[in-house]
Amino acid sequence: MNKTEFENRYRTARRSAIGLDFLHLNDMQREAALTTRGPLLLLAGAGSGKTTVLINRIANLIRYGCGSDSVYIPPEATKDDLDFLESYVNAPVTEARPKVRSLCAVDPVYPSQIIAITFTNKAANELKGRLERMLGAGSGDIWAMTFHSACVRILRRNIDRLGYDSSFAIYDSSDSSSLMKRILKDMDIEERDFPHKTVLGYISRAKDDMISGEEFYASVEKTGDMRRKIIGRAYIEYSNRLKSSNALDFDDLILMTVRLFTEYPDVLEYYQRRFSYVLVDEYQDTNKLQYLLVSKLAAGHGNICVVGDDDQSIYKFRGATIENILNFENQFRGSSVIRLEQNYRSTGLILDAASDVISNNTGRKGKKLWTEKDAGIKPALHIKSDERDEARFIAETIISSVSDGRSWHEHAVLYRMNAQSNQLESAFKRAGVPYRVYGGTGFYERAEIKDMLAYLCLIHNPFDDVRLLRVLNTPARGIGQTTAVRLTEIASELNTPIFSVIMDSENHASLQSSAGRLHLFADLINGLRELSESAPLDELYDNLLQRTGYIRMLEAKKLEENIARIENVNELKTNVISFMNENGGSLFDFLSETALYTDLDRDDQSTDRVLMMTMHSAKGLEFDTVFIAGAEEGLFPSSRTIGEPDEMEEERRLCYVAMTRAMRRLLFTSARQRMLFGKTSSSQPSRFLSEISAGNLDIHYPPYSFGSTFGAGGAYGAGGAYGAGGAYGAGGAYGSDSGAWNGPDASEYSPGEFDAAGGFASSSSRNQYASRSGWRGRSGASPSTGAGISGNERSVISGLAGPGKSGAISFKEGDAVDHKAFGRGVIVKATPAGGDSLLEIDFGVNGIKRLLENSASRFMVKTDVRNESE
């Protein structure tokens, strides 16, 4: 055997031997795990196991380094070593693994040489946990963390070079809003003219472009744009106040790190040497600054692996730049691209329907998801009369599903904007469906918790003006708003923190009358600061509660809601103790982790409730059954995206994300007319539904009686708008003119919500999609006949187990009942409620439920307990 043959056989045997560690992966996943050198783009489709690939790739790097794809052959390698490896590949045995790893490893990587960046703490914690289970305790040295957490660690070590103290505070979005509101008020700017969120949006985009307040102002001064000049002045003041408080907002965490790398090459070189491998999850969601950050880190060794899906880029409103993933091969020369297309989540028909929709986008790299699962249940569209009918249908369908053995939490209702949850919540309450609105007021957003954290922030950094003003007179200590304004004005004039003015208050004429009370406040903070230097966090927290009198304040007011507030304040101590047990860190570490916490990280997965959320919030989640509510033109896609190709493509990606959350069952709902913000408008089903092929979508029309407005000859009949020959029938399209959702732009629109002043008008406009032949009558028959309507649909509409509002059955106290979802129960109380009755029913192990009779009767019948006992 010559040298070339020996080396080729050795490389082949080495790669095959390493690959045996990853036989649990599919072919493309294994290829991704074994590709270790240079830039790598993993196009990971929804549900394709990308986290599994990341973990196994890291395991390969630590165990074998670049052995799987290196051309290097150790000079000491022998023919016996080759024979051993080839024998192992043909008949692997566990006891041979140690020797195999020693023969196959080429430059194995230390855990501390790897940085894996994610977007949420939940994803980072999952990564850490799974790495520890696979690799052991040593995996803790891997930097598996969010962008912001990684930047905090880097800045804490080096931010003094940029003129900040290492104990900097972190302002979350609420803190930034409070500061900007105060700045605009000081500038005599009305919120209605310059909404603080709009101003902060301009600032965030400027920071993403690395434009300072002074640079922003100078650029707009040349144009004479007065509106932007005011925003520029606010930006400068915002930056100055952050700096004087030794504070950074979320954008600053990344901006300052990029500045540090740009202005101080020695700092960049240190981290480039440290991290041999850079991995980035959800790369399609990165913005310009995040791209600069990871590209600088990876420039040292050139080993960057990004995982993402261009079809799931839905955060443009947050600054995400889809071009980062689309242009990866141009930005990182010599890149490899591996597509992960096997889906482990959804059934075949759901994937086919989702592919039908997303294939209409042009700005994508292209892939086709597939699964080994069965085709499953065909996705369905249920057209309802209005938003109340839609909500009732969803509630009733969920109850039927639960009665068949499913759990509540296996169901999710997704919608385009938060206002849609209103009718859904009403229907769920009436029907007794337990639910939670995902993204509601979380624990850390509650006023009392913000107060406690503000005190802790002040103990750490008394020059934090935002937190100081929040608690200056909470609990009340005789320091009114007038004094607070004077403090702010003096601090601004002297360019000094407010706490310094408080300490020197007796020397300012306008503050002399309140100097004594101000000094008591300063003494309180200074005393707690002194205690923080020696006391553990939980003891410090106890002293904080006692010395401030916060709980005594809540107790004194004797309000019912204060009971929960006291419980929340006390519950925060649980978080403090848990942090101490898990991390053993300082007050600064606790505050940093708290500031970086997200709503997703706080989700309580253990509670059995239906989840309701916006489609944006659903990213990364999965459910057995998914409802996409309000699938209508102008609502989804939103009216602001119609006529804007790039915006429409993002809206279509949002639809794709929503559809691929479903594992087994996917249902769209659409209303013929909908009331939003007090206005009722007619609506058309979403264009996205017309993009789904007939074989991948069932349509269920309202089964109205013959001869009525909605009968065979009416709007929904065989010859009507929704009939076989009508606009939505087999030969129709969307129709040439329609009352579409074309209302005025909503102010401060953000995905998930419209301003109440906006909404939708019913003005007529030509539908630009009239030429599409999307709305074929799938069944080819009149909906009024019931053709094309599933048995489940028919049973839901006809009232299922009970007569609904027919009045045939009237429930009263003492009645024994059988409910489809809650089981056997006894009515303990029945109270008249308008044209309905409120029933309190004891369902034993399922607890006492309060249900409205008209809704409950659809799923509940009386039972004869005496006959059962006999």
Side-chain angles (χ1 to χ4, degrees):
M1 182 190 324
N2 60 36
K3 181 180 179 182
T4 300
E5 182 183 357
F6 172 80
E7 290 181 344
N8 287 339
R9 283 177 58 185
Y10 196 98
R11 293 185 192 103
T12 300
R14 182 171 63 192
R15 183 177 178 87
S16 297
I18 294 173
L20 291 176
D21 276 17
F22 305 100
L23 286 178
H24 58 287
L25 304 179
N26 66 42
D27 291 345
M28 299 313 296
Q29 288 176 332
R30 187 161 52 254
E31 182 69 20
L34 298 184
T35 302
T36 66
R37 308 296 291 271
L40 174 64
L41 168 60
L42 299 180
L43 278 177
S48 61
K50 64 183 179 63
T51 304
T52 296
V53 172
L54 276 178
I55 290 165
N56 283 275
R57 190 171 190 274
I58 291 171
N60 180 39
L61 291 172
I62 292 174
R63 290 173 184 168
Y64 300 106
C66 58
S68 56
D69 54 2
S70 174
V71 297
Y72 172 77
I73 303 295
E76 65 274 13
T78 65
K79 174 71 165 50
D80 289 341
D81 293 333
L82 174 60
D83 291 341
F84 177 83
L85 286 177
E86 290 180 335
S87 174
Y88 175 80
V89 170
N90 292 325
V93 289
T94 302
E95 54 269 24
R97 279 188 175 180
K99 184 176 180 180
V100 169
R101 290 184 178 179
S102 67
L103 292 176
C104 293
V106 177
D107 297 329
V109 181
Y110 291 107
S112 59
Q113 293 177 287
I114 299 173
I115 180 170
I117 306 176
T118 68
F119 271 84
T120 68
N121 286 317
K122 180 182 178 182
N125 290 335
E126 180 187 357
L127 197 60
K128 290 176 186 176
R130 292 178 64 177
L131 283 169
E132 184 173 354
R133 288 192 291 275
M134 176 175 276
L135 301 171
S139 64
D141 293 333
I142 298 170
W143 277 37
M145 57 186 65
T146 65
F147 274 99
H148 292 112
S149 296
C151 289
V152 168
R153 186 177 291 192
I154 293 169
L155 290 173
R156 189 177 183 186
R157 175 183 174 125
N158 301 281
I159 199 171
D160 58 301
R161 301 209 189 187
L162 298 176
Y164 289 80
D165 188 88
S166 62
S167 62
F168 58 86
I170 302 172
Y171 279 16
D172 62 16
S173 57
S174 175
D175 299 321
S176 295
S177 292
S178 297
L179 178 57
M180 182 51 67
K181 286 177 182 177
R182 192 170 302 114
I183 289 171
L184 294 173
K185 184 176 181 180
D186 293 344
M187 293 172 61
D188 290 327
I189 302 297
E190 293 290 340
E191 173 77 14
R192 64 175 180 270
D193 298 325
F194 287 83
H196 71 279
K197 288 184 179 180
T198 300
V199 178
L200 287 171
Y202 274 97
I203 293 173
S204 181
R205 289 189 289 274
K207 288 183 177 181
D208 191 34
D209 290 327
M210 297 190 72
I211 298 173
S212 68
E214 289 76 14
E215 291 169 334
F216 182 94
Y217 186 81
S219 65
V220 299
E221 193 172 30
K222 297 174 184 176
T223 67
D225 187 331
M226 288 302 300
R227 182 176 178 80
R228 291 185 176 232
K229 284 177 69 174
I230 292 173
I231 293 172
R233 286 170 47 209
Y235 183 6
I236 293 172
E237 184 63 19
Y238 178 74
S239 299
N240 289 340
R241 295 197 189 186
L242 280 174
K243 184 70 182 292
S244 67
S245 295
N246 193 39
L248 304 179
D249 64 16
F250 275 10
D251 291 322
D252 287 330
L253 294 177
I254 301 177
L255 173 61
M256 294 298 177
T257 306
V258 172
R259 271 191 56 196
L260 196 63
F261 287 169
T262 303
E263 298 173 18
Y264 297 93
D266 61 312
V267 176
L268 174 59
E269 184 181 356
Y270 169 82
Y271 287 101
Q272 285 178 336
R273 285 200 314 269
R274 171 164 186 166
F275 298 122
S276 302
Y277 287 87
V278 177
L279 297 91
V280 186
D281 193 12
E282 303 287 5
Y283 192 67
Q284 76 281 349
D285 295 333
T286 54
N287 59 25
K288 296 175 186 176
L289 276 178
Q290 289 162 337
Y291 159 73
L292 287 173
L293 177 70
V294 297
S295 62
K296 286 179 180 292
L297 280 175
H301 294 272
N303 296 320
I304 180 170
C305 171
V306 304
V307 185
D309 183 1
D310 51 319
D311 290 334
Q312 295 189 73
S313 179
I314 59 173
Y315 294 121
K316 184 178 180 181
F317 70 99
R318 292 182 185 168
T321 306
I322 193 174
E323 286 75 16
N324 285 347
I325 193 167
L326 295 178
N327 297 330
F328 182 85
E329 293 142 287
N330 296 326
Q331 294 165 340
F332 297 93
R333 297 295 181 182
S335 301
S336 301
V337 179
I338 296 176
R339 286 171 166 80
L340 305 179
E341 297 173 306
Q342 183 174 357
N343 178 281
Y344 293 93
R345 175 187 299 152
S346 306
T347 58
L349 282 168
I350 291 175
L351 294 181
D352 289 345
S355 295
D356 285 343
V357 173
I358 199 62
S359 63
N360 287 273
N361 272 6
T362 58
R364 62 191 296 259
K365 300 182 83 70
K367 62 184 175 303
K368 172 72 173 177
L369 293 185
W370 61 277
T371 182
E372 293 180 345
K373 290 186 176 183
D374 294 336
I377 304 169
K378 188 183 293 188
L381 165 64
H382 297 265
I383 299 174
K384 297 299 170 183
S385 58
D386 58 24
E387 73 280 359
R388 288 163 299 189
D389 190 23
E390 173 190 55
R392 280 194 298 269
F393 165 75
I394 292 174
E396 292 166 354
T397 304
I398 291 174
I399 289 176
S400 293
S401 177
V402 171
S403 71
D404 289 337
R406 301 279 168 187
S407 299
W408 298 108
H409 69 265
E410 294 181 85
H411 305 81
V413 185
L414 312 183
Y415 37 76
R416 184 61 181 84
M417 57 183 188
N418 284 315
Q420 290 174 255
S421 71
N422 183 24
Q423 289 299 327
L424 289 164
E425 289 192 69
S426 296
F428 283 7
K429 287 175 181 176
R430 287 173 174 270
V433 174
Y435 72 91
R436 183 167 77 85
V437 179
Y438 186 85
T441 302
F443 182 76
Y444 282 96
E445 276 72 50
R446 299 184 186 279
E448 60 273 21
I449 300 302
K450 298 288 282 186
D451 289 343
M452 289 297 99
L453 292 175
Y455 271 114
L456 289 172
C457 288
L458 276 182
I459 294 169
H460 171 67
N461 174 18
F463 301 131
D464 187 336
D465 289 350
V466 169
R467 271 60 175 263
L468 184 148
L469 289 172
R470 180 181 183 93
V471 297
L472 181 62
N473 198 42
T474 305
R477 47 179 62 94
I479 304 174
Q481 185 61 31
T482 300
T483 300
V485 170
R486 290 171 183 165
L487 284 169
T488 303
E489 291 172 347
I490 294 171
S492 179
E493 291 170 4
L494 299 177
N495 194 25
T496 188
I498 292 175
F499 193 80
S500 297
V501 178
I502 290 175
M503 295 286 288
D504 193 39
S505 54
E506 70 276 8
N507 294 321
H508 298 281
S510 62
L511 297 175
Q512 287 178 353
S513 61
S514 54
R517 294 185 292 276
L518 292 172
H519 276 295
L520 286 175
F521 175 78
D523 291 342
L524 168 68
I525 300 302
N526 285 329
L528 289 168
R529 279 175 57 77
E530 183 176 348
L531 179 65
S532 69
E533 295 175 2
S534 57
L537 281 179
D538 56 343
E539 184 179 327
L540 174 64
Y541 188 73
D542 287 339
N543 274 269
L544 168 62
L545 294 180
Q546 193 276 324
R547 296 188 191 186
T548 59
Y550 194 91
I551 288 183
R552 292 195 297 275
M553 171 195 72
L554 295 176
E555 291 172 338
K557 293 183 179 180
K558 298 187 183 302
L559 298 175
E560 185 175 348
E561 59 267 27
N562 279 359
I563 297 174
R565 299 184 68 191
I566 292 170
E567 291 173 348
N568 289 335
V569 169
N570 289 326
E571 180 62 16
L572 183 58
K573 185 178 178 181
T574 302
N575 296 19
V576 171
I577 294 173
S578 296
F579 177 83
M580 291 172 60
N581 292 337
E582 294 172 8
N583 302 279
S586 64
L587 175 60
F588 172 82
D589 294 325
F590 174 72
L591 294 173
S592 296
E593 178 173 284
T594 301
L596 296 172
Y597 220 29
T598 67
D599 185 69
L600 186 60
D601 303 319
R602 292 190 294 273
D603 184 26
D604 180 7
Q605 301 284 352
S606 63
T607 304
D608 190 19
R609 289 179 287 179
V610 176
L611 270 180
M612 298 166 54
M613 67 187 79
T614 63
M615 297 173 197
H616 284 90
S617 298
K619 178 86 181 313
L621 304 178
E622 62 184 26
F623 305 92
D624 174 85
T625 301
V626 169
F627 297 85
I628 298 179
E632 299 147 20
E633 283 293 294
L635 184 55
F636 184 51
S638 73
S639 59
R640 292 173 65 97
T641 65
I642 294 174
E644 301 291 335
D646 289 345
E647 299 294 331
M648 185 58 69
E649 294 222 339
E650 174 136 344
E651 202 80 349
R652 188 174 284 109
R653 291 193 293 269
L654 184 59
C655 184
Y656 175 80
V657 167
M659 294 174 71
T660 53
R661 300 311 94 197
M663 301 167 66
R664 185 183 65 91
R665 194 177 180 200
L666 174 64
L667 301 96
F668 295 89
T669 58
S670 172
R672 291 186 295 106
Q673 64 178 33
R674 182 179 299 273
M675 178 181 287
L676 274 175
F677 313 120
K679 297 179 180 179
T680 299
S681 300
S682 299
S683 57
Q684 303 169 350
S686 169
R687 71 189 65 193
F688 300 146
L689 295 168
S690 73
E691 294 169 354
I692 302 175
S693 62
N696 293 330
L697 183 69
D698 277 338
I699 300 181
H700 302 278
Y701 302 99
Y704 294 99
S705 61
F706 182 88
S708 68
T709 305
F710 303 104
Y716 281 76
Y722 282 81
Y728 287 82
Y734 275 100
S736 60
D737 290 277
S738 61
W741 301 86
N742 290 293
D745 286 343
S747 64
E748 284 196 85
Y749 169 77
S750 63
E753 191 56 87
F754 288 89
D755 187 88
F760 308 98
S762 56
S763 57
S764 178
S765 64
R766 181 165 296 278
N767 191 311
Q768 62 181 9
Y769 286 83
S771 61
R772 292 185 181 269
S773 58
W775 286 103
R776 301 166 292 276
R778 303 300 206 270
S779 65
S782 166
S784 62
T785 66
I789 300 171
S790 68
N792 178 61
E793 168 79 357
R794 223 177 273 116
S795 66
V796 166
I797 292 176
S798 65
L800 294 169
K805 295 187 178 183
S806 68
I809 294 180
S810 179
F811 297 95
K812 61 183 185 299
E813 292 181 19
D815 282 348
V817 296
D818 189 0
H819 191 282
K820 291 195 70 173
F822 304 122
R824 299 295 173 88
V826 176
I827 299 176
V828 296
K829 189 176 182 180
T831 307
D836 209 337
S837 293
L838 179 63
L839 307 177
E840 291 189 27
I841 310 173
D842 187 347
F843 286 106
V845 294
N846 285 321
I848 294 178
K849 306 294 181 183
R850 302 172 78 241
L851 310 176
L852 285 168
E853 180 178 346
N854 285 336
S855 295
S857 61
R858 294 173 179 267
F859 303 97
M860 189 169 69
V861 294
K862 291 183 180 181
T863 61
D864 191 337
V865 178
R866 290 171 300 177
N867 289 342
E868 291 179 2
S869 63
E870 292 170 1

